Amino acid sequence: MNAAAQPGTVYLAGAGPGDPNLLTLRVLRLLETADLILPDDLVSAEILSLAHVGAEIIPVGKRCGQPRITQAEIHVLMLDAARAGRSVLRLKSGDPLIFGRAGEEIGALREAQIPFEIVPGITTAFAAAARLRTPLTDRSAASKLILATAHHAADKMDLKPKWTGALPEEATLVIYMPGRKFRGLAQDLISSGISGETPCVAISKATAADEHVYISTLSELDDAAVGPAPVILLIGYAIQVPDQGSGS
């Protein structure tokens, strides 16, 4: 396969969690060759600096949850550029298929019959766990891994778990985009049947130089102790991070 971006093709690609060292070689090659780059806001400046000097970069993400551009307008940018024979790199943080609206963009590309390719990236949950040197699954503690988000369509927040009853036994729960009401989220999970003693780690700006790690239990999760967005929560008995008494 030719690693360079091809004319008239859209690439839905993952930039990883933020650290440029966690980019795939495939995405690096696309940054070096794509005509138009449409990055989300969580794609770091260090990664965008790897784009070639002739690339046009149009940020299409959100700031504080407020879009500067609608999803429909993103579709127009992708489709118009591809129809004009330009190569398009739609660059998302983490992996493009994990909470990245990839389904909507795939649908638009298929309807328009525009050639496209999906290029995976390292999702934040895996990078955060690697940095913490903790497993997400464990033969004795967690045979299941659940990736969830507290953010839903139409900017609605719903902190209640999406399954019936308590968290399945022997499971690790990872919550992307948890919002800022961590105490309320914890209480909702506890009221669903999850033990308040369940280990919980909140990672702010995972893999960045100013990454902040807050180690707690679910019942002691404190809004003020969690670092700034973006935050990801790891919850479950497979999490093995020594409590150092404060965030890092």
Side-chain angles (χ1 to χ4, degrees):
M1 178 184 291
N2 189 341
Q6 299 300 298
T9 302
V10 175
Y11 299 86
L12 304 181
D19 183 347
N21 291 306
L22 296 178
L23 276 178
T24 65
L25 290 174
R26 179 79 170 113
V27 172
L28 176 60
R29 185 61 177 143
L30 292 172
L31 282 164
E32 294 171 338
T33 57
D35 297 318
L36 174 63
I37 301 173
L38 304 175
D40 285 341
D41 275 334
L42 293 181
V43 176
S44 68
E46 291 84 357
I47 288 174
L48 292 179
S49 72
L50 299 173
H52 68 98
V53 293
E56 180 182 9
I57 301 176
I58 303 177
V60 294
K62 296 182 178 182
R63 290 288 185 186
C64 301
Q66 299 301 315
R68 66 163 62 89
I69 184 171
T70 67
Q71 189 64 41
E73 290 169 333
I74 294 174
H75 296 172
V76 170
L77 284 172
M78 291 193 304
L79 300 182
D80 285 354
R83 286 174 178 140
R86 305 177 76 194
S87 54
V88 181
L89 175 56
R90 175 71 176 98
L91 194 57
K92 301 168 181 285
S93 63
D95 181 274
L97 303 182
I98 304 293
F99 306 124
R101 296 194 180 187
E104 297 169 55
E105 295 176 6
I106 290 170
L109 291 163
R110 282 178 172 160
E111 183 177 358
Q113 297 184 324
I114 297 295
F116 70 94
E117 180 183 327
I118 297 173
V119 183
I122 297 175
T123 191
T124 303
F126 300 161
R131 275 292 188 86
L132 295 172
R133 292 181 289 183
T134 180
L136 292 173
T137 61
D138 182 86
R139 287 195 299 170
S140 62
S143 60
K144 307 174 186 69
L145 176 62
I146 299 172
L147 306 183
T149 177
H151 186 78
H152 299 279
D155 296 325
K156 293 181 180 179
M157 298 299 294
D158 185 356
L159 301 180
K160 295 187 181 300
K162 289 298 183 183
W163 50 83
T164 301
L167 179 73
E169 293 183 2
E170 297 184 350
T172 299
L173 174 62
V174 178
I175 303 181
Y176 290 70
M177 296 175 283
R180 296 303 304 178
K181 297 180 181 179
F182 298 104
R183 288 296 316 129
L185 171 58
Q187 289 304 315
D188 278 342
L189 293 172
I190 291 170
S191 66
S192 80
I194 302 175
S195 170
E197 298 305 308
T198 304
C200 177
V201 183
I203 306 99
S204 163
K205 299 185 178 180
T207 77
D210 54 349
E211 175 185 272
H212 179 276
V213 176
Y214 170 57
I215 303 164
S216 179
T217 61
L218 203 56
S219 63
E220 296 177 347
L221 189 59
D222 180 9
D223 291 5
V226 178
V231 172
I232 191 167
L233 295 178
L234 309 181
I235 302 167
Y237 286 98
I239 306 302
Q240 302 173 14
V241 182
D243 190 346
Q244 301 173 355
S246 64
S248 62

